Amino acid sequence: VEPGATATDDRDGDISANIVFTGAVDASTAGTYILSYDVSDSTANAASTVTRSVIVQDTSIPVITLTGANPLTHEKGDAFTDPGATANDDIEGDVSGSLTVSGSVSENVVGSYVLTYDASDSSGNAATTASRSINVVDTTVPVITLLGASTYNQELNTSFIDPGATANDVPGEDLTS
């Protein structure tokens, strides 16, 4: 929206209606545009030309939206797949291709982890980062396996030697000892 200009003359008073405006601004194309304003009084005395620089630029930042739950609970030992995020910009639309993720999740170690997502548009406007908390938990019960038969016949008055058992938890975690 052109804000306009005013012009006054000592003899003619307000001569704003006589201002000649030149130049144009393409609000859909980034760049610097120069607008010029000229005016003359009733005796053809010309004022010094006044110019205005209009800078059209993209200053809106993309918005990151997490996909899936936050915080996210993940079972220890299961393969972790990040549900990801999307990034949208008011000017460019979908800029999810610029998303970067930092942080990592140790899927076999109980604990809390954070993944941080960042994105920017082609004008270099950086989004406000988004973070997802991932809690790796162990809710899987251990499995006990008997060594030998589950029914065992013991001879009276002889020493009993327990054949033992093994205990395993989430993949490869031996709890026997």
Side-chain angles (χ1 to χ4, degrees):
V1 175
E2 164 53 23
T6 60
T8 57
D9 182 70
D10 288 344
R11 290 184 184 230
D12 295 338
D14 185 359
I15 56 172
S16 299
N18 299 336
I19 294 176
V20 176
F21 166 78
T22 57
V25 174
D26 181 356
S28 63
T29 304
T32 301
Y33 299 88
I34 306 298
L35 305 178
S36 297
Y37 304 85
D38 291 303
V39 71
S40 296
D41 64 14
S42 60
T43 58
N45 294 317
S48 296
T49 300
V50 176
T51 61
R52 171 179 286 134
S53 295
V54 178
I55 301 168
V56 176
Q57 61 185 355
D58 174 9
T59 60
S60 69
I61 64 172
V63 175
I64 298 172
T65 303
L66 296 177
T67 304
N70 186 33
L72 181 67
T73 300
H74 178 76
E75 185 65 31
K76 175 184 172 184
D78 290 347
F80 177 74
T81 302
D82 178 12
T86 59
N88 285 292
D89 184 66
D90 287 343
I91 305 299
E92 296 177 38
D94 185 5
V95 292
S96 297
S98 74
L99 270 168
T100 59
V101 182
S102 59
S104 63
V105 176
S106 294
E107 57 197 26
N108 290 316
V109 179
V110 171
S112 293
Y113 303 89
V114 175
L115 296 179
T116 302
Y117 304 81
D118 201 2
S120 59
D121 63 18
S122 63
S123 295
N125 298 312
T128 301
T129 59
S131 296
R132 179 190 320 276
S133 296
I134 298 97
N135 297 308
V136 175
V137 297
D138 182 359
T139 61
T140 304
V141 296
V143 176
I144 300 172
T145 305
L146 294 175
L147 299 176
S150 62
T151 302
Y152 190 78
N153 292 320
Q154 174 68 35
E155 185 65 37
L156 183 64
N157 293 325
T158 61
S159 295
F160 173 71
I161 299 173
D162 184 0
T166 61
N168 290 293
D169 199 3
V170 185
E173 197 171 341
D174 186 358
L175 302 175
T176 304
S177 47

